[in-house]
Amino acid sequence: SYELTQPPSVSVSPGQTARITCSGDALPKKYAYWYQQKSGQAPILVIYEDSERPSGIPERFSGSSSGTMATLTISGAQVEDEADYYCYSTDSSGNLYVFGSGTKVTVL
Amino acid sequence: EVQLVESGGGLVKPGGSLRLSCAASGFTFKNSWMSWVRQAPGKGLEWVGRIKSEADGGTRDYGAPVKGRFTMSRDDSENMLYLHMTSLRTEDTALYYCMIEGDGYWGQGTLVIVSS
């Protein structure tokens, strides 16, 4: 089965840059999506199609993808950015979708 | 405004069945690919399955843990998405969300508890 690999946790000081990676064999050909989930809330899309930002998402959120790795970057992280972040993509067939295991971002 | 409202969750015994519904509004449902995603208590997100639009063939695909037990369907005339779950196991206990593929809109979820 297809897997996306994320680090379990990332810690950053307020105002610093947090980078969350997502590794998967199909990422060179398939888009990555990034979801933010705060405690007790439904996930929110923060990046789609590797690097596009939905309306309403702060500019400090950006995405990139190179080879088998996609990266979510939070530039100038704020305390309110503390959340779990999940990457999401498909396998090479495009028919099976998968979430990464999630990365807990702590801003302190 | 896009809205997705799940319903139908509850307590069910192992081996039992349940049908979840997702009422959609605020977008062109018939053109949308829809997925179900679940989250077990304290765990991460898990993709359950996806159904394409009828225009794209209506194909359904499922994650390995539910394949053969869960079935997705849609009623484009009523803007409804369904998840029929059978042979339920304790490990199916989770909050079940419906979502629009590619657009990032999710409902608030409906809780399914499988327990004797």
Side-chain angles (χ1 to χ4, degrees):
Chain A
S1 62
Y2 185 54
E3 294 184 355
L4 296 173
T5 301
Q6 297 181 234
S9 62
V10 167
S11 293
V12 64
S13 299
Q16 298 302 302
T17 296
R19 293 183 179 85
I20 306 163
T21 58
C22 173
S23 177
D25 289 341
L27 289 177
K29 295 186 177 181
K30 299 300 181 183
Y31 285 126
Y33 296 75
W34 290 93
Y35 285 94
Q36 175 196 69
Q37 187 180 34
K38 297 183 178 180
S39 180
Q41 298 181 19
I44 295 171
L45 183 68
V46 294
I47 293 290
Y48 67 98
E49 294 180 358
D50 290 344
S51 59
E52 300 298 317
R53 192 174 51 251
S55 61
I57 300 301
E59 290 183 8
R60 62 180 180 272
F61 289 90
S62 63
S64 63
S65 187
S66 179
T68 59
M69 186 169 290
T71 303
L72 173 69
T73 301
I74 310 173
S75 303
Q78 306 295 309
V79 172
E80 60 262 34
D81 299 332
E82 280 203 344
D84 294 321
Y85 290 83
Y86 297 89
C87 60
Y88 180 61
S89 187
T90 70
D91 70 353
S92 56
S93 75
N95 292 325
L96 298 180
Y97 296 67
V98 65
F99 286 94
S101 52
T103 299
K104 184 174 184 60
V105 171
T106 302
V107 182
L108 50 73
Chain B
E1 178 193 6
V2 173
Q3 280 201 317
L4 297 168
V5 180
E6 302 93 339
S7 61
L11 175 63
V12 61
K13 289 181 167 52
S17 299
L18 206 59
R19 189 184 79 162
L20 306 184
S21 301
C22 172
S25 60
F27 64 102
T28 307
F29 180 76
K30 67 177 184 178
N31 293 343
S32 298
W33 294 19
M34 302 294 296
S35 281
W36 286 96
V37 176
R38 68 184 182 183
Q39 187 169 35
K43 303 296 184 182
L45 301 173
E46 181 183 25
W47 177 75
V48 172
R50 184 265 292 125
I51 184 168
K52 294 183 179 179
S53 63
E54 288 300 325
D56 289 324
T59 309
R60 307 160 205 185
D61 291 288
Y62 302 93
V66 307
K67 194 170 184 179
R69 300 188 298 124
F70 289 12
T71 303
M72 295 180 64
S73 63
R74 62 191 300 157
D75 183 343
D76 290 342
S77 67
E78 297 289 338
N79 289 352
M80 293 292 295
L81 177 71
Y82 300 102
L83 181 66
H84 188 206
M85 306 183 294
T86 64
S87 302
L88 282 161
R89 306 166 180 167
T90 55
E91 55 264 37
D92 295 318
T93 293
L95 188 60
Y96 285 74
Y97 296 98
C98 64
M99 64 174 280
I100 308 172
E101 275 299 335
D103 280 356
Y105 289 100
W106 295 53
Q108 289 302 306
T110 186
L111 182 62
V112 173
I113 300 173
V114 184
S115 174
S116 55

